[in-house]
Amino acid sequence: MNIQPVIDSLSKTLLEIASFLPRLINSLLLLAIGYVLSLLVRWGLRFLLEHVGAQQLGERLGFAAFLRRLGLPPSVPRFLSNAVFFFLLLSFLTSAARLLEFASLVDFLEAILHFVPRAISAALLVLLGGLGARFLATTVAALARSVNIAYSRLLASLVEYVLLAFLVIIAISLLGIDTTVLTTSFTILLAALGLAIALSFGIGSQEAARNIIAGYYIRRHFSSRQELHFGRYQGRFQATSGMYTTLEISDETGQTRLLSIPNTLFLRQIILGGPASSASAAAEAAGPQAGKPGSSPTSGTAPSASDAAHESEQ
């Protein structure tokens, strides 16, 4: 019986074990050194971030609130230092696996190492971009309120969500995921939404749009308590809402009343200085198109305060 193959196999196994043991010892030593270095870096980085005001900066940027929503401790220095710690430890683990010649494990760890920076970049893009989108939405809401647009909050939310959708698509592309279909679908949806808004606003709200634009010019050229003449009425300028301008007038008995006038009619009569007799005709011509208020602002009798309030609500 020939036992030489058994001896050869045993010898080969022992040689492989003998060659593997030094690599194992080196990899364990590398992991131990890497772990200690990672701990030192985490401690130093956390100490530095705590003394340069990273927590206050994270609170102002909303990063701490983002950590709370994720169910994590809201300590910004702790989160950043732990992230650096695990990234360094993963790098040392990859080097140790390479020493042990574990090719599959090395490929997997390297893929994670390459993915982590892209994930951090995408997260920072969404976080900082979300802050910028919120600031822009707040600015849009303030501008809309300054011109008395009733749907300012809806407009601001629309701007914010559209910007966030673009940021999410860009972040997904940074992760290496193909976003061609997603980008095309979102572009088509946004174009359809814009076209629908444009058609509804251009066709169904022409008179409302004219009144809103006229209200912008009225606010720029007229001041509160300014004495004005509108047709046969004389009074003081009070305020301009989205579609109507309010005048404070005095009737024959000397009682003060409020008169609501469509912005386009007010701007045309005040600036052009139409005669008193033409005010009633102009009101009749513009009445069916200017929101159909409860009483014509240039009718034969001065409107009551309740009529003016009703017109302002319309």
Side-chain angles (χ1 to χ4, degrees), residues 149-163:
I149 297 179
Y151 44 87
S152 58
R153 184 175 299 179
L154 177 61
L155 182 61
S157 300
L158 180 63
V159 171
E160 181 179 3
Y161 291 142
V162 168
L163 291 177

Side-chain angles (χ1 to χ4, degrees), residues 124-198:
L124 289 176
L125 176 65
V126 173
L127 178 63
L128 298 179
L131 294 176
R134 185 176 303 174
F135 173 77
L136 184 59
T138 304
T139 304
V140 170
L143 291 176
R145 282 194 298 267
S146 67
V147 295
N148 292 328
I149 297 179
Y151 44 87
S152 58
R153 184 175 299 179
L154 177 61
L155 182 61
S157 300
L158 180 63
V159 171
E160 181 179 3
Y161 291 142
V162 168
L163 291 177
L164 285 177
F166 275 114
L167 289 173
V168 169
I169 293 175
I170 297 175
I172 293 175
S173 65
L174 286 178
L175 296 177
I177 301 174
D178 188 11
T179 59
T180 303
V181 177
L182 184 60
T183 304
T184 304
S185 302
F186 182 74
T187 303
I188 294 174
L189 179 62
L190 188 62
L193 179 62
L195 181 60
I197 294 175

Side-chain angles (χ1 to χ4, degrees), residues 222 228-233 264-279 282:
F222 296 92
L228 297 173
H229 291 271
F230 178 78
R232 67 185 181 87
Y233 297 109
T264 52
L265 180 61
F266 174 87
L267 192 63
R268 183 165 58 247
Q269 292 295 320
I270 293 295
I271 293 180
L272 297 181
S277 60
S278 64

Side-chain angles (χ1 to χ4, degrees), residues 179-257:
T179 59
T180 303
V181 177
L182 184 60
T183 304
T184 304
S185 302
F186 182 74
T187 303
I188 294 174
L189 179 62
L190 188 62
L193 179 62
L195 181 60
I197 294 175
L199 289 176
S200 62
F201 190 78
I203 297 176
S205 306
Q206 294 181 2
E207 189 62 30
R210 280 196 290 266
N211 280 313
I212 292 173
I213 296 173
Y216 169 76
Y217 288 102
I218 291 173
R219 276 183 291 271
R220 293 192 58 182
H221 293 88
F222 296 92
S223 59
S224 180
R225 312 299 296 177
Q226 182 178 356
E227 294 288 342
L228 297 173
H229 291 271
F230 178 78
R232 67 185 181 87
Y233 297 109
Q234 180 179 358
R236 294 178 179 180
F237 179 85
Q238 287 294 313
T240 299
S241 62
M243 296 179 59
Y244 292 94
T245 297
T246 304
L247 294 181
E248 182 184 284
I249 62 172
S250 299
D251 57 12
E252 292 80 359
T253 62
Q255 186 178 1
T256 301
R257 299 181 183 276

